[in-house]
Amino acid sequence: MANYLLLAVSLMAGWSGVSARAQVERANVGDAPNDPGPLATDVSAALTHVAIRHAAAKVADWQLAQSETKFNQQWTFAALYDGFLAASKLTGDAKYHNAMVKMGNEFDWKLLNNRFPHADDMALGQSYTDLALADHKKEYALDTQATMDRLIVRSDDPSKLLWWWSDALFMAPPVLARTYTATGDKKYLDYMDKEWWETSNSLYSTQYHLYFRDDRYFTQKQANGKPIFWSRGNGWVMGAFVKVLEKMPKNYPTREKYITQFKEMSDEIASIQSPGDGLWRTGLLGPDEYDLPEVSGSAFFVYGMAWGINQGILDKKKFEPVVQKAWAGLLSHIYADGRLGCIQPIDAQPGVFKPSASYVYGMGGFLLAASEMDKLTTK
């Protein structure tokens, strides 16, 4: 479907000045209506299974109804698919899982392959491989494994940074980690490990304990003179830590390096949480420059930190109040029909948007966050 759409919009790309691929990535990803209706009154910030699962189902049901006929193989939807799989486990409702199997069948369980080795085109492999493992269907992950095989022996310039933007850490490394789990072959994990730390050495600030989105931002500043660190870019990284570490053996040689960096980032992110709404602005170190909180980055922060608490990596006494406040903040942006607002559109930097703005990757982040928040409570 995505390839046919790419062909169709390519005829218009020359007129608009926007690439055909960029048009595909933006098609059906979300919207920002002027009148989204009232906010929800039936969601609760109580840390109970009933409240958390109700909020997750409300959001998931709305998004599934909105997007099921628009599913494609782009990275934007890949994050949503991860969220749907988490929602199915969380709520016990198989319809989200079944929708993902239907999606995989529609695309013949294949990844996009016309921009290799771009990480965004590999992101769908997370859901494919998770479904293969859950349903014991190796065929779901065959094309993904073949792409990972091709990746680790690629012959392009080895001096060129493969994952040169922070988002890429969520798109490709978790796929390699899952291919390791599916095959037992450590070569996938070793390749991921090498490339992860090359990206980290380039983009991770040891001073601020955050990731620059890419090298364009090494010298750019917020109006207050501080560096520009993009919320969702760092959210992608926090999500990547979870996705990689949950598949990495406890005795893997560099595992502690990941843990150390994850804890450093968590400490920094917690320290800059908004004292008002509990969320984070799109420019992390210049919050006063942005009127609205940004839900997609905030959701991935909650996902990462809640997972860290659940795994005993982060101190519960310190971080549980952080994620509980942030979770309440996320819920305050759910509309009566299930729309989740305040999600920045596709971008690579801080920006502005409407309160109603809702995009599929932010929904995916929210559902992943819900799955970990639910594990925090026994009520």
Side-chain angles (χ1 to χ4, degrees):
M1 180 187 296
N3 288 332
Y4 296 141
L5 181 58
L6 181 60
L7 177 62
V9 299
S10 66
L11 299 175
M12 300 181 291
W15 297 353
S16 67
V18 179
S19 73
R21 177 171 292 276
Q23 291 188 41
V24 170
E25 289 178 346
R26 286 160 174 75
N28 302 317
V29 172
D31 60 11
N34 290 327
D35 183 12
L39 289 169
T41 58
D42 63 340
V43 293
S44 167
L47 280 188
T48 66
H49 295 308
V50 170
I52 294 168
R53 294 171 190 180
H54 170 72
K58 184 179 183 71
V59 167
D61 286 347
W62 181 85
Q63 188 62 66
L64 187 61
Q66 292 289 315
S67 62
E68 190 167 14
T69 61
K70 306 169 186 175
F71 285 166
N72 60 52
Q73 294 159 289
Q74 298 290 334
W75 64 269
T76 47
F77 274 79
L80 174 63
Y81 303 153
D82 295 334
F84 277 144
L85 290 178
S88 198
K89 292 179 182 178
L90 170 63
T91 64
D93 193 332
K95 68 183 174 186
Y96 312 118
H97 178 101
N98 293 342
M100 296 301 91
V101 175
K102 182 180 176 182
M103 173 275 298
N105 284 326
E106 181 178 355
F107 299 126
D108 198 24
W109 302 99
K110 294 188 182 300
L111 304 179
L112 295 175
N113 61 9
N114 55 353
R115 199 169 47 154
F116 183 86
H118 202 286
D120 285 356
D121 293 352
M122 300 174 187
L124 183 51
Q126 291 189 49
S127 292
Y128 283 171
T129 310
D130 279 340
L131 284 163
L133 292 167
D135 293 356
H136 306 288
K137 298 279 190 178
K138 290 184 178 180
E139 60 268 30
Y140 291 175
L142 290 179
D143 183 71
T144 297
Q145 183 181 344
T147 303
M148 297 305 102
D149 287 337
R150 184 182 172 199
L151 178 66
I152 64 179
V153 297
R154 79 188 206 283
S155 59
D156 54 321
D157 184 357
S159 66
K160 183 179 179 181
L161 191 62
L162 175 63
W163 300 326
W164 51 266
W165 71 110
S166 62
D167 320 21
L169 293 181
F170 184 84
M171 308 306 166
V175 185
L176 286 158
R178 277 153 177 72
T179 306
Y180 157 75
T181 300
T183 64
D185 194 330
K186 194 165 159 283
K187 69 183 181 183
Y188 301 107
L189 207 55
D190 291 344
Y191 182 83
M192 181 219 73
D193 182 63
K194 178 181 76 70
E195 296 293 341
W196 177 293
W197 293 111
E198 288 184 6
T199 298
S200 175
N201 290 339
S202 173
L203 301 181
Y204 183 64
S205 169
T206 56
Q207 177 182 357
Y208 292 97
H209 296 153
L210 295 168
Y211 272 78
F212 291 102
R213 196 275 176 177
D214 56 63
D215 62 11
R216 294 175 298 168
Y217 297 96
F218 289 167
T219 58
Q220 294 188 40
K221 305 293 183 184
Q222 298 272 179
N224 62 11
K226 293 183 179 180
I228 294 176
F229 290 105
W230 182 39
S231 175
R232 188 161 65 238
N234 281 277
W236 288 127
V237 177
M238 289 293 283
F241 276 118
V242 178
K243 293 291 188 179
V244 166
L245 287 170
E246 67 185 4
K247 299 300 183 184
M248 181 180 284
K250 301 294 185 183
N251 63 350
Y252 191 73
T254 60
R255 182 181 173 87
E256 284 306 311
K257 285 181 65 177
Y258 292 86
I259 297 294
T260 296
Q261 193 174 91
F262 172 72
K263 291 171 73 172
E264 288 177 350
M265 288 189 68
S266 296
D267 282 335
E268 175 62 24
I269 290 164
S271 75
I272 57 176
Q273 181 182 31
S274 169
D277 55 31
L279 301 178
W280 290 264
R281 269 47 185 175
T282 184
L284 291 175
L285 300 188
D288 294 340
E289 299 171 34
Y290 306 94
D291 293 334
L292 297 175
E294 204 289 298
V295 159
S296 65
S298 296
F300 278 108
F301 292 157
V302 172
Y303 173 50
M305 288 187 285
W307 177 85
I309 297 167
N310 289 326
Q311 296 299 312
I313 295 171
L314 299 180
D315 180 65
K316 184 173 183 178
K317 184 177 180 180
K318 174 180 177 180
F319 284 93
E320 187 171 44
V322 174
V323 297
Q324 187 169 5
K325 186 176 181 67
W327 177 247
L330 293 175
L331 295 180
S332 72
H333 293 283
I334 298 176
Y335 288 85
D337 60 0
R339 168 187 291 271
L340 180 66
C342 252
I343 298 171
Q344 185 184 9
I346 294 173
D347 213 326
Q349 60 196 349
V352 296
F353 42 88
K354 297 178 183 177
S356 65
S358 187
Y359 295 87
V360 293
Y361 40 77
M363 289 287 202
F366 175 84
L367 295 173
L368 290 168
S371 70
E372 289 299 327
M373 290 300 297
D374 188 70
K375 296 172 187 175
L376 280 176
T377 182
T378 58
K379 298 178 183 178

